[in-house]
Amino acid sequence: MDHKYDLLIIGGGPVGLFAAYFAGMRNANVAIIESLPQLGGQAAALFPEKIVYDVGGIPAIKAKDLIKQQQQQLSLFPPKIFLQTSAQDIQQDEDGDYTVTTDQGVLHARAIIVAIGTGAFSPRRLAFAYDPQLESAGYLNYFVQDLESYRDQDVVVAGGGDSAIDWALALEPIAHQVTIVHRRDQFRGLESSVSKLEQSTIQIKTPFLITQADQAVGKIQLDLKRVKTNEHEILTTDKLLVNYGFTADSRVLRKWGLTLSGPKIKVDTKMATNRPKIYAIGDAITYPGKLDLLAVGYAEAPIAVTTALQTIYPDKIQPVHSTSLFEH
Ligand SMILES: Cc1cc2nc3c(=O)[nH]c(=O)nc-3n(C[C@H](O)[C@H](O)[C@H](O)COP(=O)(O)OP(=O)(O)OC[C@H]3O[C@@H](n4cnc5c(N)ncnc54)[C@H](O)[C@@H]3O)c2cc1C
């Protein structure tokens, strides 16, 4: 992690991704750090199935497909991506550049773009204490890293939203048996996904809550409580995949010495914060007239990147639009 990047983008949401792409077009050496094991911020974590209608040039697109396309776009100028890495501290070095301390080590950069949205996402966990070995040994997961590791396994998916239903449906042809456990009778997913679920071979257990999870000779044993009763059932399975949504934590921001207005970072018209060479964009910021929309964040990204590069490379000619990149 000793390399010094031109730009370190904190936050791999849609706005951070576009900033990385734009910086790549400008030949900058870029890294992104993202607290989750996936990119895409709110769009990927909170509303993957929702159709977005208000991005210029795209009449209608599912949020998850928009993120897929952003990742495709980003692959033209691939930045270094650190997933499951949370920025914790930002210190200015003697030479004016920055060292960012993360929970995985330190990173160095000439300038920083903060694109942390509403804060670092983490999955909402099971609400009871369990042996951490369940996670380290792969019996209990909050994300699917590799669908193949579920092949021919019995899998319990916990949760009732789009993400839980989508994963249950994706696992159905691969796993031996999929069971979905939800604490309400009604699922919160899209009607079309719920219909698919009902027509599938997936076992539906509602209204049940998982109240205990224990290791059981190569398996995980779950205690399921029927909601509003004292009725319990034991379910033993190979893997448990929990999809209870996400929480966002922006408390770390208060340690970064940035001028805030409430939970948001104040920036000027060049996306500059009060600290030299630290810029901020997207839902993390505020200024008069700010809107928390993708289109607005996408517009702030090139402003921040251009300001940052003008500051760290003042002698470099700054192209006005993308085609000028290919003319020089
Ligand atoms: C339900 C819902 C529907 C929406 N629908 C629309 C819509 O139709 N159209 C529209 O334009 N907008 C919509 N929005 C708003 C849109 O999602 C946001 O404007 C957009 O996601 C902002 O992007 P961002 O990259 O600034 O932040 P985010 O999407 O919040 O991404 C920030 C990322 O930074 C990461 N992060 C935070 N802190 C750290 C840290 N310390 N270290 C490392 N990583 C960190 C987070 O994990 C997250 O992945 C919707 C929002 C919601 C909640």
Side-chain angles (χ1 to χ4, degrees), residues 16 19 39 43 49 58 81 114 119 139 159 169 201 212 221 229 252 270 281 293:
L39 295 170
E49 292 296 333
I58 305 178
I81 298 175
V114 179
Y139 297 113
L169 289 169
T201 62
Q212 199 175 320
Q221 181 179 293
T229 70
V252 74
K270 291 185 153 191
I281 52 177
L293 286 177

Side-chain angles (χ1 to χ4, degrees), residues 9-17 33-36 38-47 50-55 82 85-88 115-122 249-250 252 256 281-284 290-297 300:
I9 298 173
I10 305 177
V15 176
L17 292 182
I33 59 178
E34 167 54 52
S35 57
L36 284 182
Q38 67 182 32
L39 295 170
Q42 296 173 49
L46 303 185
F47 58 100
K50 196 192 115 157
I51 297 184
V52 174
Y53 296 101
D54 48 2
V55 173
F82 297 95
T85 305
S86 284
Q88 294 177 332
I116 62 169
T118 48
F121 279 130
S122 43
D249 185 354
S250 63
V252 74
W256 293 354
I281 52 177
D283 278 13
K290 166 68 183 168
L291 296 175
D292 286 347
L293 286 177
L294 294 160
V296 176
E300 291 155 358

Side-chain angles (χ1 to χ4, degrees), residues 132-143:
Q133 267 210 336
L134 285 174
E135 269 186 73
S136 54
Y139 297 113
L140 164 55
N141 293 280
Y142 290 92
F143 291 93

Side-chain angles (χ1 to χ4, degrees), residues 49 64 147 157 161-175 178-180 190-202 204 241:
E49 292 296 333
K64 69 178 181 191
L147 265 180
V157 177
D162 277 317
S163 177
I165 297 171
D166 276 1
W167 279 122
L169 289 169
L171 286 163
E172 186 196 12
I174 291 168
V178 180
T179 304
I180 188 162
L190 275 183
E191 290 88 340
S192 55
S193 308
V194 176
S195 306
K196 268 193 213 157
L197 178 70
E198 286 165 351
Q199 286 155 24
S200 72
T201 62
I202 297 165
I204 299 177
L241 176 63

